[in-house]
Amino acid sequence: KTIFFDNVDELPPAMQARALGAIRAHARAREGGARYVASSRRPLGEMVRRGLFNRDLYEALAPLTVRLPALRERGSDIQLLARNFLIPRLSFTPAALRALSEYPFPGNVRELKNLVKRLAIVPLEASGGMIDAPDVREQIIVATRQKAEHPRPSWRAAVEAANREIALRTVAALGGDINAAARKLGVSAAALRRSIRSAGGISIPRRR
């Protein structure tokens, strides 16, 4: 059987210890065949070095590590995944697919899947079941408004807010190293500093 730890980097220390205890107890009971799989948004090795993650739990989970690039780094996958998540009676217009590719999806595949689910329940009778770019942008703007970052956001503000969220997460994951975060994001360190200081937007390059 497979035991999956979702977003293991978000476990508080007490829960990390409990997870490690469960793995060790399972091993002592000789219940062979069990596999432990974990997902993480942040580099666990770096968190261990900073004392933010249990080293023993990391070693128990990390014999094989696969780095899956963020969705914004796999621009060609966005349209493929969106089509796959959509129910058969609906389809995207080319403009809608381009709008999806413009958004950086800080929540990665889960955020894209939730967006497609919301689009599937929006009344589309007048368009014959076709989801267009305004539908995509409206749902993303609504989600941004719900985060309370922008009471009345525009499409541009929603994209900037998503880019800023990615930037802040990257800086935090790299221990506050602005230069390393800038290299990872493909932007200048000066632009990243300005964005963080002013809470303004930043343009993060997309990979196609």
Side-chain angles (χ1 to χ4, degrees):
K1 62 182 179 180
T2 300
I3 299 174
F4 180 61
F5 296 94
D6 190 20
N7 291 337
V8 71
D9 57 310
E10 296 181 2
L11 289 179
M15 290 301 296
Q16 293 176 28
R18 290 184 63 181
L20 177 62
I23 292 173
R24 286 175 170 172
H26 200 256
R28 285 195 297 270
R30 296 184 179 180
E31 297 179 17
R35 294 177 298 178
Y36 297 93
V37 180
S39 68
S40 173
R41 293 182 179 180
R42 294 176 287 177
L44 294 182
E46 177 64 26
M47 292 183 68
V48 168
R49 286 190 289 274
R50 295 171 57 200
L52 300 176
F53 195 81
N54 187 300
R55 180 178 295 276
D56 291 333
L57 178 58
Y58 171 72
E59 291 177 354
L61 294 172
L64 176 63
T65 301
V66 177
R67 182 188 178 275
L68 184 63
L71 189 57
R72 65 181 174 79
E73 298 178 29
R74 297 178 284 136
S76 60
D77 287 354
I78 292 176
Q79 298 183 10
L80 179 65
L81 288 168
R83 288 193 184 102
N84 183 64
F85 294 147
L86 196 61
I87 59 178
R89 66 180 177 82
L90 301 176
S91 58
F92 291 105
T93 66
L97 292 172
R98 287 194 296 272
L100 286 170
S101 297
E102 291 172 5
Y103 187 70
F105 290 100
N108 288 303
V109 175
R110 184 174 300 173
E111 183 178 2
L112 173 60
K113 188 173 185 178
N114 288 338
L115 171 62
V116 173
K117 285 182 178 179
R118 292 197 303 273
L119 287 166
I121 61 176
V122 173
L124 298 168
E125 290 81 1
S127 61
M130 296 293 291
I131 296 174
D132 205 357
D135 303 313
V136 171
R137 293 190 175 107
E138 175 62 23
Q139 287 303 310
I140 290 175
I141 288 170
V142 168
T144 304
R145 185 185 304 130
Q146 290 172 347
K147 293 180 181 179
E149 294 180 12
H150 297 274
R152 299 176 63 184
S154 63
W155 170 245
R156 179 178 177 180
V159 173
E160 288 181 348
N163 278 329
R164 176 172 165 74
E165 183 177 345
I166 290 169
L168 291 173
R169 285 183 182 179
T170 303
V171 171
L174 294 172
D177 189 330
I178 296 289
N179 292 326
R183 287 193 297 271
K184 183 175 179 62
L185 294 170
V187 300
S188 71
L192 185 54
R193 287 192 184 93
R194 283 196 301 271
S195 175
I196 292 172
R197 282 199 300 263
S198 65
I202 186 171
S203 178
I204 298 175
R206 304 281 184 273
R207 295 183 184 177
R208 300 295 180 185

